[in-house]
Amino acid sequence: DGTRHQMWILQDPAIIKKVAESMSKKSIFIADGHHRYETSRNFRNIMRARYGMRTANRSYEYTMMYLTNMDDEGLTILPSHRILKSAPNFQINPFFERIKRWFDITKSQLPLPNTARERTALKQRLKEGGQHNPTFGFYHKGDDQLYILSLKPGAIEMVGDDLHPMLKRLDVLVLSRLILQKGLGFSKEDLDDDKVFHYESSVGTAMSHVQSGDYQMTFLLNPTKMEHVKEIASKSLIMPRKSTYFYPKILTGLVFNKIDPYETIQIT
């Protein structure tokens, strides 16, 4: 993807000590990989119980992670557009009729975003709309029209009483609850079906998948704001699935975590 990776190995104990001290009072937000973190903690706890004590030099007392400054200007959150393979019994007019109680539906005055300039114009349109209320782009197969869906004032309360107020502010949950579930009839379990739902950070790629006929429709989103990530994590809440796409990504396999074979659990 054009990203250049560089890696250095630090072996000077004085430098390592300085890094550890500078990080000791800081909070860490897990942007990607909370399941891996929880799994590594469970493994550590099982091994502690097995040996009956904490042993600092055991590999299970550590887990690998990549840390970056959340305020670094090079760190970007890309949107996670939804592409749907098919929606049951979908018809455009009944669909709009169902969601118009929550959304203002307008035809975009912009051309379909098939060029870089047109894609930039669409992103700006979604960004401007998203400053006031959650705003989505909608395009479906066989149509030459892009629609803008803007949440009506007060409709945020219809997302659900089971959610923390901070989570209600997230575009991905508004899309999931009001459009995908109530509007298109998907269940929460359906949303985890990778055969139906695909996620794409590029507007152009999302549109081309639908225009080619490979997918039936796409919903284009604004990227999640970094301040929302911080606020939600600070309340010990978990971000919804596929709500953030941090860029650049670190290549998998640059480093490996060696686990002592004598520490592994015998599974029968």
Side-chain angles (χ1 to χ4, degrees):
D1 63 0
T3 302
R4 182 186 180 193
H5 292 73
Q6 291 181 285
M7 183 171 64
W8 295 264
I9 299 175
L10 301 182
Q11 294 178 311
D12 186 335
I15 296 177
I16 295 173
K17 184 173 184 289
K18 184 176 181 180
V19 171
E21 289 175 348
S22 67
M23 295 296 294
S24 63
K25 300 291 178 66
K26 297 182 183 295
S27 297
I28 293 175
F29 293 82
I30 302 179
D32 186 14
H34 69 273
H35 291 118
R36 280 166 282 179
Y37 171 70
E38 291 168 0
T39 300
S40 66
R41 286 207 322 164
N42 289 338
F43 177 65
R44 178 203 64 185
N45 294 340
I46 290 171
M47 297 304 286
R48 282 182 180 178
R50 176 181 178 179
Y51 287 102
M53 60 179 179
R54 274 184 76 173
T55 307
N57 63 351
R58 295 284 184 175
S59 62
Y60 57 75
E61 292 289 345
Y62 304 91
T63 189
M64 293 195 305
M65 63 183 70
Y66 168 78
L67 301 177
T68 189
N69 183 352
M70 293 178 74
D71 298 317
D72 192 299
E73 61 180 12
L75 181 66
T76 303
I77 300 181
L78 298 178
S80 190
H81 308 305
R82 271 57 175 166
I83 315 175
L84 281 66
K85 196 72 174 178
S86 63
N89 304 314
F90 174 77
Q91 291 182 314
I92 186 67
N93 291 329
F95 168 61
F96 281 164
E97 190 66 27
R98 283 192 294 271
I99 68 169
K100 72 178 185 179
R101 71 188 78 173
W102 309 302
F103 291 90
D104 290 319
I105 305 168
T106 58
K107 292 183 177 181
S108 171
Q109 301 303 311
L110 301 170
L112 293 181
N114 296 319
T115 67
R117 178 177 294 181
E118 291 165 351
R119 289 190 287 271
T120 298
L122 174 59
K123 291 176 186 177
Q124 184 61 32
R125 170 68 179 84
L126 293 177
K127 181 180 179 181
E128 291 172 356
Q131 291 177 350
H132 307 289
N133 291 297
T135 300
F136 311 101
F138 170 67
Y139 177 72
H140 71 100
K141 181 172 60 178
D143 199 344
D144 59 357
Q145 180 64 58
L146 181 74
Y147 299 90
I148 303 296
L149 313 179
S150 301
L151 190 69
K152 293 180 178 180
I156 195 76
E157 298 306 320
M158 300 303 297
V159 174
D161 296 331
D162 59 319
L163 294 174
H164 191 283
M166 284 187 178
L167 291 174
K168 288 183 179 181
R169 297 166 55 190
L170 296 176
D171 288 11
V172 291
L173 276 177
V174 172
L175 177 71
S176 172
R177 293 291 182 92
L178 298 184
I179 295 180
L180 300 183
Q181 293 183 53
K182 294 184 178 182
L184 291 175
F186 288 104
S187 68
K188 289 183 179 180
E189 292 72 26
D190 293 333
L191 302 184
D192 293 328
D193 189 344
D194 293 334
K195 295 180 181 179
V196 177
F197 291 90
H198 182 68
Y199 305 91
E200 176 57 55
S201 62
S202 165
V203 168
T205 303
M207 290 290 297
S208 65
H209 277 309
V210 179
Q211 290 173 322
S212 68
D214 292 337
Y215 286 81
Q216 186 180 23
M217 66 186 72
T218 181
F219 292 93
L220 308 173
L221 290 78
N222 282 306
T224 301
K225 296 180 176 61
M226 184 66 79
E227 55 265 32
H228 288 172
V229 176
K230 291 181 180 179
E231 290 174 358
I232 288 170
S234 297
K235 294 291 184 181
S236 298
L237 301 171
I238 297 176
M239 294 289 292
R241 184 171 183 261
K242 301 294 184 182
S243 56
T244 56
Y245 185 98
F246 285 87
Y247 179 86
K249 293 285 187 184
I250 304 303
L251 284 176
T252 298
L254 287 176
V255 291
F256 290 89
N257 188 25
K258 181 180 179 181
I259 299 177
D260 190 329
Y262 296 104
E263 297 173 355
T264 58
I265 303 172
Q266 298 298 320
I267 300 178
T268 60

